[in-house]
Amino acid sequence: MSKLRNFNPYNLKTKPDKGFLYEDIPTGYLDSEEFINYLNRKKVLIDRSDNLGRFCNNNNIQMVKIKREGKFGSTPYAYKIPSDTKIEEIILVMNNNNNSLMGRKILKKKKEKILEIFDSAPSAKDYDKKIEDAKEKLKKQKNLKEKAIIRKQIDEILNEKWDKCYSKTSLAEKVSEVVGINCNRKLVAKVLDEKRSSQQYKLIKKG
């Protein structure tokens, strides 16, 4: 039982002299509660305290084992305080990892923003109808001056369409800009297929 409680799954750093556990938390390290509070202040969210070992192991944060008081309970850990640069690196990785708590929150936000922007955008199909009507009008027009006016109108409609409507790619780019986290075309396609499958005529079709 003693061996089980002292099991070292992450090959944690121990006191240099023959592997003895540290009597006290070393300078520059925090216990579990302090470390979680520190991470929260730095905007790093994790699910549970029992995930700390895996979290630190995945992010190359040093851990040590502290000698526990008494014979019962598990051996406590202490965690080295990461630099601000390391924190920024962790946030970037976790924001783009859909399996992390932070990643799941960001994914939800991206999905909501995809639908919000899509719903507020005008329909590319409506612009296409205006362009087709103008082209038909152009065919019937004999007056050269009037033809030039209609061509200009067609160009203006096209420019407005590309300025105000979205393709799946440009919608992903817009979401990335608004949320501040990369959003790709694949996610846009998945969300729209699930939530707006009957309204995709609003999108610009490339090619």
mmCIF file of all heavy atoms in Angstrom, residues 142-188:
data_model
loop_
_atom_site.group_PDB
_atom_site.id
_atom_site.type_symbol
_atom_site.label_atom_id
_atom_site.label_comp_id
_atom_site.label_asym_id
_atom_site.label_seq_id
_atom_site.Cartn_x
_atom_site.Cartn_y
_atom_site.Cartn_z
ATOM 1 N N LYS A 142 -30.756 48.517 -76.378
ATOM 2 C CA LYS A 142 -30.095 48.864 -77.631
ATOM 3 C C LYS A 142 -29.232 50.115 -77.479
ATOM 4 O O LYS A 142 -28.213 50.257 -78.169
ATOM 5 C CB LYS A 142 -31.139 49.102 -78.730
ATOM 6 C CG LYS A 142 -32.067 47.922 -78.974
ATOM 7 C CD LYS A 142 -31.305 46.694 -79.452
ATOM 8 C CE LYS A 142 -32.265 45.539 -79.760
ATOM 9 N NZ LYS A 142 -31.553 44.318 -80.191
ATOM 10 N N ASN A 143 -29.623 50.974 -76.579
ATOM 11 C CA ASN A 143 -28.923 52.240 -76.408
ATOM 12 C C ASN A 143 -27.569 52.012 -75.728
ATOM 13 O O ASN A 143 -27.487 51.420 -74.649
ATOM 14 C CB ASN A 143 -29.784 53.189 -75.565
ATOM 15 C CG ASN A 143 -29.184 54.570 -75.452
ATOM 16 O OD1 ASN A 143 -28.207 54.761 -74.736
ATOM 17 N ND2 ASN A 143 -29.781 55.535 -76.156
ATOM 18 N N LEU A 144 -26.483 52.468 -76.358
ATOM 19 C CA LEU A 144 -25.131 52.225 -75.842
ATOM 20 C C LEU A 144 -24.912 52.896 -74.481
ATOM 21 O O LEU A 144 -24.239 52.343 -73.603
ATOM 22 C CB LEU A 144 -24.091 52.724 -76.856
ATOM 23 C CG LEU A 144 -24.030 51.960 -78.181
ATOM 24 C CD1 LEU A 144 -22.980 52.580 -79.092
ATOM 25 C CD2 LEU A 144 -23.726 50.491 -77.936
ATOM 26 N N LYS A 145 -25.462 54.083 -74.351
ATOM 27 C CA LYS A 145 -25.307 54.807 -73.074
ATOM 28 C C LYS A 145 -26.001 54.047 -71.946
ATOM 29 O O LYS A 145 -25.465 53.907 -70.848
ATOM 30 C CB LYS A 145 -25.886 56.211 -73.215
ATOM 31 C CG LYS A 145 -25.650 57.080 -71.992
ATOM 32 C CD LYS A 145 -26.154 58.499 -72.223
ATOM 33 C CE LYS A 145 -25.903 59.355 -70.980
ATOM 34 N NZ LYS A 145 -26.395 60.752 -71.183
ATOM 35 N N GLU A 146 -27.189 53.544 -72.233
ATOM 36 C CA GLU A 146 -27.934 52.781 -71.232
ATOM 37 C C GLU A 146 -27.234 51.451 -70.918
ATOM 38 O O GLU A 146 -27.234 50.989 -69.778
ATOM 39 C CB GLU A 146 -29.363 52.511 -71.716
ATOM 40 C CG GLU A 146 -30.252 53.734 -71.762
ATOM 41 C CD GLU A 146 -30.457 54.357 -70.399
ATOM 42 O OE1 GLU A 146 -30.569 53.608 -69.416
ATOM 43 O OE2 GLU A 146 -30.480 55.600 -70.310
ATOM 44 N N LYS A 147 -26.646 50.853 -71.947
ATOM 45 C CA LYS A 147 -25.886 49.610 -71.735
ATOM 46 C C LYS A 147 -24.730 49.855 -70.758
ATOM 47 O O LYS A 147 -24.461 49.041 -69.867
ATOM 48 C CB LYS A 147 -25.336 49.086 -73.062
ATOM 49 C CG LYS A 147 -26.314 48.305 -73.905
ATOM 50 C CD LYS A 147 -25.650 47.857 -75.194
ATOM 51 C CE LYS A 147 -26.546 46.952 -76.002
ATOM 52 N NZ LYS A 147 -26.627 45.596 -75.424
ATOM 53 N N ALA A 148 -24.030 50.961 -70.933
ATOM 54 C CA ALA A 148 -22.902 51.293 -70.053
ATOM 55 C C ALA A 148 -23.379 51.487 -68.614
ATOM 56 O O ALA A 148 -22.707 51.062 -67.657
ATOM 57 C CB ALA A 148 -22.204 52.550 -70.559
ATOM 58 N N ILE A 149 -24.532 52.103 -68.449
ATOM 59 C CA ILE A 149 -25.098 52.311 -67.105
ATOM 60 C C ILE A 149 -25.425 50.971 -66.448
ATOM 61 O O ILE A 149 -25.139 50.748 -65.267
ATOM 62 C CB ILE A 149 -26.357 53.205 -67.191
ATOM 63 C CG1 ILE A 149 -25.966 54.621 -67.610
ATOM 64 C CG2 ILE A 149 -27.082 53.231 -65.849
ATOM 65 C CD1 ILE A 149 -27.155 55.528 -67.883
ATOM 66 N N ILE A 150 -26.010 50.065 -67.220
ATOM 67 C CA ILE A 150 -26.389 48.746 -66.677
ATOM 68 C C ILE A 150 -25.143 47.946 -66.301
ATOM 69 O O ILE A 150 -25.101 47.283 -65.261
ATOM 70 C CB ILE A 150 -27.243 47.971 -67.701
ATOM 71 C CG1 ILE A 150 -28.580 48.686 -67.917
ATOM 72 C CG2 ILE A 150 -27.492 46.536 -67.209
ATOM 73 C CD1 ILE A 150 -29.413 48.111 -69.054
ATOM 74 N N ARG A 151 -24.115 47.994 -67.144
ATOM 75 C CA ARG A 151 -22.861 47.280 -66.822
ATOM 76 C C ARG A 151 -22.259 47.800 -65.515
ATOM 77 O O ARG A 151 -21.744 47.024 -64.702
ATOM 78 C CB ARG A 151 -21.869 47.425 -67.964
ATOM 79 C CG ARG A 151 -22.232 46.657 -69.230
ATOM 80 C CD ARG A 151 -21.067 46.631 -70.204
ATOM 81 N NE ARG A 151 -21.419 45.984 -71.444
ATOM 82 C CZ ARG A 151 -21.806 46.633 -72.550
ATOM 83 N NH1 ARG A 151 -21.858 47.966 -72.551
ATOM 84 N NH2 ARG A 151 -22.126 45.976 -73.649
ATOM 85 N N LYS A 152 -22.325 49.101 -65.341
ATOM 86 C CA LYS A 152 -21.821 49.701 -64.103
ATOM 87 C C LYS A 152 -22.633 49.218 -62.908
ATOM 88 O O LYS A 152 -22.076 48.912 -61.839
ATOM 89 C CB LYS A 152 -21.875 51.222 -64.201
ATOM 90 C CG LYS A 152 -21.296 51.926 -62.987
ATOM 91 C CD LYS A 152 -21.331 53.443 -63.155
ATOM 92 C CE LYS A 152 -20.754 54.115 -61.908
ATOM 93 N NZ LYS A 152 -20.807 55.603 -62.006
ATOM 94 N N GLN A 153 -23.942 49.124 -63.097
ATOM 95 C CA GLN A 153 -24.810 48.620 -62.025
ATOM 96 C C GLN A 153 -24.467 47.176 -61.663
ATOM 97 O O GLN A 153 -24.450 46.807 -60.492
ATOM 98 C CB GLN A 153 -26.273 48.724 -62.453
ATOM 99 C CG GLN A 153 -26.807 50.153 -62.534
ATOM 100 C CD GLN A 153 -28.205 50.211 -63.117
ATOM 101 O OE1 GLN A 153 -28.688 49.254 -63.736
ATOM 102 N NE2 GLN A 153 -28.863 51.352 -62.938
ATOM 103 N N ILE A 154 -24.193 46.364 -62.681
ATOM 104 C CA ILE A 154 -23.819 44.960 -62.446
ATOM 105 C C ILE A 154 -22.525 44.877 -61.634
ATOM 106 O O ILE A 154 -22.414 44.090 -60.693
ATOM 107 C CB ILE A 154 -23.681 44.196 -63.782
ATOM 108 C CG1 ILE A 154 -25.047 44.053 -64.444
ATOM 109 C CG2 ILE A 154 -23.043 42.821 -63.551
ATOM 110 C CD1 ILE A 154 -25.004 43.470 -65.849
ATOM 111 N N ASP A 155 -21.555 45.692 -62.021
ATOM 112 C CA ASP A 155 -20.283 45.716 -61.282
ATOM 113 C C ASP A 155 -20.499 46.135 -59.829
ATOM 114 O O ASP A 155 -19.887 45.571 -58.910
ATOM 115 C CB ASP A 155 -19.304 46.683 -61.961
ATOM 116 C CG ASP A 155 -18.767 46.153 -63.283
ATOM 117 O OD1 ASP A 155 -18.843 44.934 -63.491
ATOM 118 O OD2 ASP A 155 -18.279 46.974 -64.093
ATOM 119 N N GLU A 156 -21.364 47.119 -59.605
ATOM 120 C CA GLU A 156 -21.642 47.588 -58.241
ATOM 121 C C GLU A 156 -22.318 46.498 -57.414
ATOM 122 O O GLU A 156 -22.011 46.313 -56.233
ATOM 123 C CB GLU A 156 -22.521 48.837 -58.297
ATOM 124 C CG GLU A 156 -21.783 50.072 -58.816
ATOM 125 C CD GLU A 156 -22.700 51.260 -59.034
ATOM 126 O OE1 GLU A 156 -23.948 51.063 -58.994
ATOM 127 O OE2 GLU A 156 -22.195 52.375 -59.263
ATOM 128 N N ILE A 157 -23.232 45.765 -58.044
ATOM 129 C CA ILE A 157 -23.917 44.665 -57.339
ATOM 130 C C ILE A 157 -22.916 43.566 -56.979
ATOM 131 O O ILE A 157 -22.934 43.019 -55.869
ATOM 132 C CB ILE A 157 -25.060 44.087 -58.205
ATOM 133 C CG1 ILE A 157 -26.147 45.136 -58.415
ATOM 134 C CG2 ILE A 157 -25.665 42.857 -57.525
ATOM 135 C CD1 ILE A 157 -27.190 44.742 -59.464
ATOM 136 N N LEU A 158 -22.044 43.235 -57.942
ATOM 137 C CA LEU A 158 -21.015 42.215 -57.694
ATOM 138 C C LEU A 158 -20.101 42.624 -56.540
ATOM 139 O O LEU A 158 -19.806 41.815 -55.642
ATOM 140 C CB LEU A 158 -20.178 41.992 -58.953
ATOM 141 C CG LEU A 158 -20.719 40.999 -59.977
ATOM 142 C CD1 LEU A 158 -19.934 41.099 -61.272
ATOM 143 C CD2 LEU A 158 -20.652 39.580 -59.415
ATOM 144 N N ASN A 159 -19.652 43.871 -56.565
ATOM 145 C CA ASN A 159 -18.757 44.359 -55.509
ATOM 146 C C ASN A 159 -19.440 44.325 -54.148
ATOM 147 O O ASN A 159 -18.825 43.953 -53.139
ATOM 148 C CB ASN A 159 -18.293 45.788 -55.827
ATOM 149 C CG ASN A 159 -17.318 45.844 -56.990
ATOM 150 O OD1 ASN A 159 -16.634 44.860 -57.274
ATOM 151 N ND2 ASN A 159 -17.255 46.985 -57.677
ATOM 152 N N GLU A 160 -20.713 44.725 -54.133
ATOM 153 C CA GLU A 160 -21.456 44.705 -52.860
ATOM 154 C C GLU A 160 -21.653 43.281 -52.365
ATOM 155 O O GLU A 160 -21.560 43.007 -51.162
ATOM 156 C CB GLU A 160 -22.807 45.404 -53.050
ATOM 157 C CG GLU A 160 -23.570 45.580 -51.742
ATOM 158 C CD GLU A 160 -24.837 46.406 -51.910
ATOM 159 O OE1 GLU A 160 -24.923 47.180 -52.885
ATOM 160 O OE2 GLU A 160 -25.748 46.262 -51.074
ATOM 161 N N LYS A 161 -21.914 42.371 -53.287
ATOM 162 C CA LYS A 161 -22.068 40.951 -52.926
ATOM 163 C C LYS A 161 -20.799 40.417 -52.257
ATOM 164 O O LYS A 161 -20.859 39.811 -51.183
ATOM 165 C CB LYS A 161 -22.395 40.131 -54.175
ATOM 166 C CG LYS A 161 -22.335 38.617 -53.960
ATOM 167 C CD LYS A 161 -22.489 37.879 -55.298
ATOM 168 C CE LYS A 161 -22.201 36.400 -55.135
ATOM 169 N NZ LYS A 161 -22.272 35.666 -56.417
ATOM 170 N N TRP A 162 -19.648 40.672 -52.869
ATOM 171 C CA TRP A 162 -18.395 40.160 -52.323
ATOM 172 C C TRP A 162 -17.987 40.888 -51.046
ATOM 173 O O TRP A 162 -17.260 40.336 -50.220
ATOM 174 C CB TRP A 162 -17.295 40.270 -53.370
ATOM 175 C CG TRP A 162 -17.402 39.199 -54.406
ATOM 176 C CD1 TRP A 162 -18.013 39.279 -55.619
ATOM 177 C CD2 TRP A 162 -16.916 37.861 -54.299
ATOM 178 N NE1 TRP A 162 -17.937 38.081 -56.283
ATOM 179 C CE2 TRP A 162 -17.261 37.193 -55.495
ATOM 180 C CE3 TRP A 162 -16.221 37.162 -53.316
ATOM 181 C CZ2 TRP A 162 -16.944 35.859 -55.732
ATOM 182 C CZ3 TRP A 162 -15.888 35.828 -53.552
ATOM 183 C CH2 TRP A 162 -16.256 35.190 -54.740
ATOM 184 N N ASP A 163 -18.497 42.091 -50.877
ATOM 185 C CA ASP A 163 -18.167 42.856 -49.679
ATOM 186 C C ASP A 163 -19.012 42.440 -48.481
ATOM 187 O O ASP A 163 -18.527 42.412 -47.351
ATOM 188 C CB ASP A 163 -18.367 44.347 -49.960
ATOM 189 C CG ASP A 163 -17.989 45.216 -48.767
ATOM 190 O OD1 ASP A 163 -16.849 45.089 -48.276
ATOM 191 O OD2 ASP A 163 -18.835 46.018 -48.330
ATOM 192 N N LYS A 164 -20.283 42.093 -48.730
ATOM 193 C CA LYS A 164 -21.216 41.865 -47.620
ATOM 194 C C LYS A 164 -21.559 40.399 -47.377
ATOM 195 O O LYS A 164 -21.975 40.036 -46.278
ATOM 196 C CB LYS A 164 -22.506 42.654 -47.854
ATOM 197 C CG LYS A 164 -22.308 44.160 -47.821
ATOM 198 C CD LYS A 164 -23.638 44.893 -47.883
ATOM 199 C CE LYS A 164 -23.438 46.390 -47.731
ATOM 200 N NZ LYS A 164 -24.730 47.128 -47.755
ATOM 201 N N CYS A 165 -21.410 39.563 -48.397
ATOM 202 C CA CYS A 165 -21.738 38.138 -48.234
ATOM 203 C C CYS A 165 -20.479 37.332 -47.910
ATOM 204 O O CYS A 165 -19.368 37.821 -48.052
ATOM 205 C CB CYS A 165 -22.402 37.609 -49.508
ATOM 206 S SG CYS A 165 -23.946 38.440 -49.909
ATOM 207 N N TYR A 166 -20.687 36.094 -47.520
ATOM 208 C CA TYR A 166 -19.565 35.243 -47.107
ATOM 209 C C TYR A 166 -19.557 33.927 -47.869
ATOM 210 O O TYR A 166 -20.612 33.363 -48.174
ATOM 211 C CB TYR A 166 -19.651 34.923 -45.611
ATOM 212 C CG TYR A 166 -19.442 36.107 -44.707
ATOM 213 C CD1 TYR A 166 -20.530 36.819 -44.195
ATOM 214 C CD2 TYR A 166 -18.153 36.519 -44.372
ATOM 215 C CE1 TYR A 166 -20.342 37.910 -43.369
ATOM 216 C CE2 TYR A 166 -17.958 37.608 -43.533
ATOM 217 C CZ TYR A 166 -19.057 38.301 -43.038
ATOM 218 O OH TYR A 166 -18.865 39.391 -42.214
ATOM 219 N N SER A 167 -18.361 33.461 -48.130
ATOM 220 C CA SER A 167 -18.148 32.058 -48.483
ATOM 221 C C SER A 167 -17.797 31.347 -47.174
ATOM 222 O O SER A 167 -17.629 31.996 -46.136
ATOM 223 C CB SER A 167 -17.001 31.925 -49.481
ATOM 224 O OG SER A 167 -15.767 32.329 -48.876
ATOM 225 N N LYS A 168 -17.683 30.043 -47.194
ATOM 226 C CA LYS A 168 -17.303 29.323 -45.973
ATOM 227 C C LYS A 168 -15.907 29.739 -45.519
ATOM 228 O O LYS A 168 -15.646 29.872 -44.316
ATOM 229 C CB LYS A 168 -17.365 27.810 -46.209
ATOM 230 C CG LYS A 168 -18.781 27.279 -46.373
ATOM 231 C CD LYS A 168 -18.805 25.781 -46.667
ATOM 232 C CE LYS A 168 -20.243 25.294 -46.858
ATOM 233 N NZ LYS A 168 -20.292 23.850 -47.207
ATOM 234 N N THR A 169 -15.030 29.969 -46.488
ATOM 235 C CA THR A 169 -13.661 30.370 -46.157
ATOM 236 C C THR A 169 -13.619 31.756 -45.534
ATOM 237 O O THR A 169 -12.980 31.974 -44.500
ATOM 238 C CB THR A 169 -12.769 30.334 -47.403
ATOM 239 O OG1 THR A 169 -12.731 29.003 -47.922
ATOM 240 C CG2 THR A 169 -11.352 30.771 -47.073
ATOM 241 N N SER A 170 -14.307 32.717 -46.170
ATOM 242 C CA SER A 170 -14.280 34.082 -45.636
ATOM 243 C C SER A 170 -15.025 34.187 -44.309
ATOM 244 O O SER A 170 -14.675 35.000 -43.456
ATOM 245 C CB SER A 170 -14.855 35.066 -46.653
ATOM 246 O OG SER A 170 -16.219 34.798 -46.919
ATOM 247 N N LEU A 171 -16.038 33.344 -44.112
ATOM 248 C CA LEU A 171 -16.736 33.323 -42.824
ATOM 249 C C LEU A 171 -15.806 32.813 -41.727
ATOM 250 O O LEU A 171 -15.773 33.355 -40.615
ATOM 251 C CB LEU A 171 -17.986 32.440 -42.922
ATOM 252 C CG LEU A 171 -18.847 32.316 -41.667
ATOM 253 C CD1 LEU A 171 -19.197 33.670 -41.070
ATOM 254 C CD2 LEU A 171 -20.123 31.528 -41.971
ATOM 255 N N ALA A 172 -15.016 31.791 -42.035
ATOM 256 C CA ALA A 172 -14.033 31.282 -41.067
ATOM 257 C C ALA A 172 -13.007 32.358 -40.730
ATOM 258 O O ALA A 172 -12.620 32.519 -39.564
ATOM 259 C CB ALA A 172 -13.331 30.042 -41.638
ATOM 260 N N GLU A 173 -12.579 33.098 -41.731
ATOM 261 C CA GLU A 173 -11.604 34.176 -41.511
ATOM 262 C C GLU A 173 -12.198 35.276 -40.625
ATOM 263 O O GLU A 173 -11.517 35.822 -39.755
ATOM 264 C CB GLU A 173 -11.158 34.752 -42.854
ATOM 265 C CG GLU A 173 -10.302 33.777 -43.665
ATOM 266 C CD GLU A 173 -10.052 34.257 -45.087
ATOM 267 O OE1 GLU A 173 -10.688 35.252 -45.497
ATOM 268 O OE2 GLU A 173 -9.223 33.639 -45.789
ATOM 269 N N LYS A 174 -13.473 35.602 -40.853
ATOM 270 C CA LYS A 174 -14.134 36.634 -40.057
ATOM 271 C C LYS A 174 -14.276 36.192 -38.603
ATOM 272 O O LYS A 174 -14.052 36.982 -37.671
ATOM 273 C CB LYS A 174 -15.512 36.933 -40.648
ATOM 274 C CG LYS A 174 -16.272 38.048 -39.931
ATOM 275 C CD LYS A 174 -15.541 39.375 -40.049
ATOM 276 C CE LYS A 174 -16.337 40.508 -39.424
ATOM 277 N NZ LYS A 174 -15.615 41.802 -39.495
ATOM 278 N N VAL A 175 -14.646 34.936 -38.393
ATOM 279 C CA VAL A 175 -14.772 34.412 -37.030
ATOM 280 C C VAL A 175 -13.420 34.437 -36.330
ATOM 281 O O VAL A 175 -13.325 34.810 -35.153
ATOM 282 C CB VAL A 175 -15.360 32.980 -37.044
ATOM 283 C CG1 VAL A 175 -15.306 32.353 -35.651
ATOM 284 C CG2 VAL A 175 -16.801 33.012 -37.548
ATOM 285 N N SER A 176 -12.367 34.057 -37.039
ATOM 286 C CA SER A 176 -11.017 34.096 -36.472
ATOM 287 C C SER A 176 -10.662 35.511 -36.029
ATOM 288 O O SER A 176 -10.089 35.720 -34.958
ATOM 289 C CB SER A 176 -9.988 33.615 -37.503
ATOM 290 O OG SER A 176 -10.227 32.280 -37.888
ATOM 291 N N GLU A 177 -11.019 36.487 -36.850
ATOM 292 C CA GLU A 177 -10.729 37.883 -36.537
ATOM 293 C C GLU A 177 -11.498 38.349 -35.300
ATOM 294 O O GLU A 177 -10.938 39.000 -34.416
ATOM 295 C CB GLU A 177 -11.114 38.749 -37.737
ATOM 296 C CG GLU A 177 -10.943 40.241 -37.527
ATOM 297 C CD GLU A 177 -11.522 41.048 -38.674
ATOM 298 O OE1 GLU A 177 -11.596 40.523 -39.809
ATOM 299 O OE2 GLU A 177 -11.906 42.209 -38.439
ATOM 300 N N VAL A 178 -12.778 37.997 -35.214
ATOM 301 C CA VAL A 178 -13.629 38.461 -34.115
ATOM 302 C C VAL A 178 -13.272 37.774 -32.802
ATOM 303 O O VAL A 178 -13.163 38.420 -31.750
ATOM 304 C CB VAL A 178 -15.119 38.226 -34.457
ATOM 305 C CG1 VAL A 178 -16.004 38.536 -33.263
ATOM 306 C CG2 VAL A 178 -15.525 39.094 -35.654
ATOM 307 N N VAL A 179 -13.079 36.456 -32.849
ATOM 308 C CA VAL A 179 -12.830 35.680 -31.630
ATOM 309 C C VAL A 179 -11.368 35.774 -31.205
ATOM 310 O O VAL A 179 -11.049 35.669 -30.017
ATOM 311 C CB VAL A 179 -13.243 34.203 -31.839
ATOM 312 C CG1 VAL A 179 -12.952 33.365 -30.602
ATOM 313 C CG2 VAL A 179 -14.731 34.123 -32.184
ATOM 314 N N GLY A 180 -10.471 35.976 -32.177
ATOM 315 C CA GLY A 180 -9.051 36.039 -31.857
ATOM 316 C C GLY A 180 -8.391 34.687 -31.779
ATOM 317 O O GLY A 180 -7.257 34.557 -31.329
ATOM 318 N N ILE A 181 -9.106 33.648 -32.217
ATOM 319 C CA ILE A 181 -8.589 32.274 -32.237
ATOM 320 C C ILE A 181 -8.879 31.688 -33.615
ATOM 321 O O ILE A 181 -9.943 31.932 -34.184
ATOM 322 C CB ILE A 181 -9.265 31.399 -31.160
ATOM 323 C CG1 ILE A 181 -9.008 31.970 -29.763
ATOM 324 C CG2 ILE A 181 -8.757 29.959 -31.233
ATOM 325 C CD1 ILE A 181 -7.563 31.941 -29.324
ATOM 326 N N ASN A 182 -7.946 30.913 -34.134
ATOM 327 C CA ASN A 182 -8.097 30.362 -35.474
ATOM 328 C C ASN A 182 -9.388 29.548 -35.618
ATOM 329 O O ASN A 182 -9.712 28.708 -34.787
ATOM 330 C CB ASN A 182 -6.894 29.467 -35.806
ATOM 331 C CG ASN A 182 -6.992 28.906 -37.214
ATOM 332 O OD1 ASN A 182 -7.110 29.647 -38.177
ATOM 333 N ND2 ASN A 182 -6.950 27.580 -37.336
ATOM 334 N N CYS A 183 -10.119 29.851 -36.687
ATOM 335 C CA CYS A 183 -11.314 29.086 -37.049
ATOM 336 C C CYS A 183 -11.143 28.662 -38.499
ATOM 337 O O CYS A 183 -10.771 29.488 -39.341
ATOM 338 C CB CYS A 183 -12.565 29.954 -36.883
ATOM 339 S SG CYS A 183 -14.102 29.144 -37.418
ATOM 340 N N ASN A 184 -11.403 27.408 -38.807
ATOM 341 C CA ASN A 184 -11.171 26.948 -40.173
ATOM 342 C C ASN A 184 -12.475 26.660 -40.923
ATOM 343 O O ASN A 184 -13.556 26.583 -40.338
ATOM 344 C CB ASN A 184 -10.258 25.711 -40.182
ATOM 345 C CG ASN A 184 -10.825 24.573 -39.355
ATOM 346 O OD1 ASN A 184 -12.004 24.249 -39.447
ATOM 347 N ND2 ASN A 184 -9.985 23.955 -38.529
ATOM 348 N N ARG A 185 -12.328 26.520 -42.224
ATOM 349 C CA ARG A 185 -13.477 26.288 -43.108
ATOM 350 C C ARG A 185 -14.217 25.006 -42.746
ATOM 351 O O ARG A 185 -15.449 24.919 -42.869
ATOM 352 C CB ARG A 185 -12.977 26.220 -44.558
ATOM 353 C CG ARG A 185 -14.065 26.108 -45.599
ATOM 354 C CD ARG A 185 -13.470 25.973 -46.998
ATOM 355 N NE ARG A 185 -14.486 25.994 -48.022
ATOM 356 C CZ ARG A 185 -15.246 24.952 -48.350
ATOM 357 N NH1 ARG A 185 -15.088 23.794 -47.726
ATOM 358 N NH2 ARG A 185 -16.165 25.068 -49.307
ATOM 359 N N LYS A 186 -13.477 24.006 -42.302
ATOM 360 C CA LYS A 186 -14.083 22.719 -41.953
ATOM 361 C C LYS A 186 -15.092 22.875 -40.821
ATOM 362 O O LYS A 186 -16.178 22.273 -40.854
ATOM 363 C CB LYS A 186 -12.978 21.724 -41.553
ATOM 364 C CG LYS A 186 -13.475 20.321 -41.274
ATOM 365 C CD LYS A 186 -12.308 19.398 -40.959
ATOM 366 C CE LYS A 186 -12.796 17.980 -40.657
ATOM 367 N NZ LYS A 186 -11.655 17.070 -40.338
ATOM 368 N N LEU A 187 -14.749 23.671 -39.799
ATOM 369 C CA LEU A 187 -15.678 23.893 -38.688
ATOM 370 C C LEU A 187 -16.906 24.662 -39.160
ATOM 371 O O LEU A 187 -18.034 24.342 -38.771
ATOM 372 C CB LEU A 187 -14.982 24.647 -37.559
ATOM 373 C CG LEU A 187 -15.870 24.979 -36.342
ATOM 374 C CD1 LEU A 187 -16.401 23.709 -35.695
ATOM 375 C CD2 LEU A 187 -15.100 25.812 -35.321
ATOM 376 N N VAL A 188 -16.706 25.669 -40.000
ATOM 377 C CA VAL A 188 -17.836 26.438 -40.547
ATOM 378 C C VAL A 188 -18.789 25.511 -41.297
ATOM 379 O O VAL A 188 -20.010 25.553 -41.099
ATOM 380 C CB VAL A 188 -17.329 27.554 -41.482
ATOM 381 C CG1 VAL A 188 -18.495 28.173 -42.258
ATOM 382 C CG2 VAL A 188 -16.607 28.634 -40.686
#
